[in-house]
Amino acid sequence: IRTHARWDSSDGHYTAYWLSLAAQAEGFDEIVRARLKLDPEDVLALRAEQDARSDLRGAVCKRHRALANARPDSINLQYAAARCVDNPAQQEQEIAALYAKAPSNGWVAAAMGYTHAEHGRWDDAMAALNVARQRVPAMTERYALDTMRLRRMSTRNGDAAGGDLAQQSDTLRYYLALISGKELQP
């Protein structure tokens, strides 16, 4: 787990999973520091650092805000800082402003997609998550699942095709096999 969490590319399909597992063990801070030393704007590592320990989140967010203030041109660092905003309405405003500036940034698009979904704007949410799925390979598993959920929400009968999404998500492929009864092991 530590080896994958430390060395797998941030574009790897399972890297977010490895980081999540590693966050539960000793030495995770060393892994994150090493990843951020190679790429100080590695959003996957920044997110993992924010989410790893709630008792350290305040200090981590203070540092992330300082990084974002020092680099106002970096959408990735602005996104990481926006994740630290505790007030949901203010966070939504910051995400929307970032999305207006950089709609093709996968992390920002994902955040905007989830914001749209919270307000029941299914089509807007799916459009933003489609960008995120293309731009953030480490999160395609999750984004494909959530896009399928949005498709089901946007159809009247809850039935939506998901073959294109299943190519990006092992979990979704399994769920669709359960529904269809095809390609299941005995």
Side-chain angles (χ1 to χ4, degrees), residues 102-180:
S104 64
N105 179 290
W107 295 105
V108 173
M112 196 68 225
Y114 289 115
T115 298
H116 284 312
E118 286 176 14
H119 296 287
R121 298 186 297 258
W122 312 128
D123 291 337
D124 292 335
M126 284 186 284
L129 281 181
N130 284 337
V131 170
R133 281 188 299 109
Q134 295 169 12
R135 305 281 181 163
V136 186
M139 299 294 286
T140 55
E141 179 79 28
R142 176 180 173 180
Y143 297 160
L145 281 168
D146 290 341
T147 301
M148 185 64 188
R149 290 180 178 113
L150 290 167
R151 284 183 185 177
R152 292 180 65 116
M153 292 297 293
S154 70
T155 61
R156 290 190 186 264
N157 63 2
D159 190 23
D164 60 323
L165 298 173
Q167 296 172 9
Q168 297 176 337
S169 169
D170 297 333
T171 306
L172 181 56
R173 195 167 29 258
Y174 174 69
Y175 289 161
L176 291 174
L178 288 175
I179 292 168
S180 71

Side-chain angles (χ1 to χ4, degrees), residues 18-67:
W18 291 119
L19 284 168
S20 176
L21 289 174
Q24 301 169 29
E26 296 273 331
F28 181 67
D29 53 339
E30 296 166 17
I31 292 170
V32 170
R33 270 196 303 273
R35 290 182 73 90
L36 290 175
K37 186 175 181 181
L38 289 176
D39 181 2
E41 293 189 34
D42 180 354
V43 176
L44 196 61
L46 293 168
R47 285 171 48 105
E49 186 179 33
Q50 288 176 5
D51 297 343
R53 291 188 44 197
S54 59
D55 60 327
L56 297 178
R57 183 172 166 80
V60 167
C61 282
K62 183 177 180 180
R63 189 169 46 75
H64 289 186
R65 283 189 200 102
L67 287 170

